[in-house]
Amino acid sequence: MRRAVRALALIVLVAIAAPYALAPLYVVGHPISTLMVGRFLMGEPAIRKWIDIDAMSPALPPAVVGAEDAKFCSHHGIDWGSVRDVIEDAQDGDIVRGGSTITQQVAKNLFLWPGRSVIRKGLEFPLALWIDLVLPKKRILELYLNVAELGPDGQFGAEAGSNYAFGRSASSLSLQEAALLASILPNPVTRSARNPGPAVRRMAGTYMVRAQSAEAANCWGLNRRF
């Protein structure tokens, strides 16, 4: 019995430690998400064509950051202000909003599993801090833009999402199209950039403004961490 417990404990420790060993290696390569692996194992389609961030439309990164993580260029993996807001909302009995940064989503997509749970969040927080430490901001965003789910039928990454929604490469997106694509995160099954409803169009308008803001210009033009 003790031997079995020790073996199980060792397996758990290796599973927890493995992402910390793998994360620095992801400075290169084209890793896939756990959700993509799951779809492969279930026999479901998972469509992804890698595109380097420098080959993407320059409108796409700031649009996605404006939609998902406005402080991406200044925090260190966790937006503690957003975390405090989520906790306060929960204490007040309000609907709890998502407070995950792009780095947290990269940690979840590459190493953990979808769905909300205290255990996953407990693993996600320190892993996001580690990823921010060992990978450049530009690479973290490149990973996110190539593993995020961006279509209703197993389209992953900006290239597959753009091809599905607009019939062309992510390299040629306009600012409006980039903002529409950003607007369907994090639920491309119920939101559509291909046939956007009023709510998606309103969000896209907001993200267009954010992408053109002074803060975004500093992030993409002058921020040394990017």
Side-chain angles (χ1 to χ4, degrees):
M1 182 65 179
R2 287 184 178 178
R3 186 173 296 177
V5 171
R6 289 175 182 172
L8 180 60
L10 180 60
I11 291 171
V12 171
L13 287 174
V14 169
I16 292 173
Y20 291 87
L22 289 172
L25 303 180
Y26 284 175
V27 71
V28 296
H30 300 167
I32 61 176
S33 69
T34 54
L35 185 55
M36 293 171 68
V37 172
R39 290 184 69 92
F40 285 134
L41 294 176
M42 295 295 292
E44 298 175 342
I47 306 162
R48 199 280 295 275
K49 182 179 179 181
W50 183 277
I51 179 171
D52 292 341
I53 195 169
D54 290 333
M56 296 177 190
S57 162
L60 187 57
V64 169
V65 169
E68 291 289 282
D69 186 2
K71 296 180 180 178
F72 174 72
C73 285
S74 59
H75 65 60
H76 296 283
I78 305 292
D79 181 353
W80 295 110
S82 180
V83 171
R84 284 194 299 271
D85 290 341
V86 169
I87 293 172
E88 289 173 2
D89 286 346
Q91 290 174 338
D92 293 339
D94 297 333
I95 296 174
V96 178
R97 303 163 296 166
S100 294
T101 64
I102 284 174
T103 313
Q104 287 176 260
Q105 293 180 61
V106 168
K108 178 196 71 176
N109 289 340
L110 291 181
F111 301 114
L112 302 174
W113 60 91
R116 292 185 176 183
S117 74
V118 174
I119 294 175
R120 198 208 76 198
K121 279 294 181 183
L123 296 171
E124 181 184 291
F125 268 55
L127 185 53
L129 294 171
W130 175 246
I131 288 172
D132 185 85
L133 180 66
V134 300
L135 294 179
K137 287 286 187 180
K138 184 176 182 179
R139 178 58 176 176
I140 293 170
L141 186 58
E142 183 175 58
L143 289 169
Y144 180 66
L145 289 169
N146 278 283
V147 298
E149 192 175 11
L150 279 168
D153 301 311
Q155 288 87 7
F156 290 86
E159 187 71 358
S162 179
N163 278 315
Y164 173 81
F166 309 114
R168 59 177 172 276
S169 170
S171 64
S172 58
L173 293 177
S174 67
L175 176 58
Q176 182 181 30
E177 290 167 338
L180 284 169
L181 204 60
S183 299
I184 68 173
L185 293 164
N187 196 338
V189 176
T190 60
R191 300 177 187 176
S192 175
R194 189 174 188 173
N195 298 298
V200 169
R201 290 188 181 277
R202 282 195 299 271
M203 287 189 290
T206 299
Y207 301 151
M208 288 173 68
V209 172
R210 291 182 185 176
Q212 295 175 305
S213 69
E215 183 177 359
N218 288 336
C219 179
W220 308 116
L222 302 176
N223 191 296
R224 62 183 176 83
R225 296 189 71 221
F226 184 80

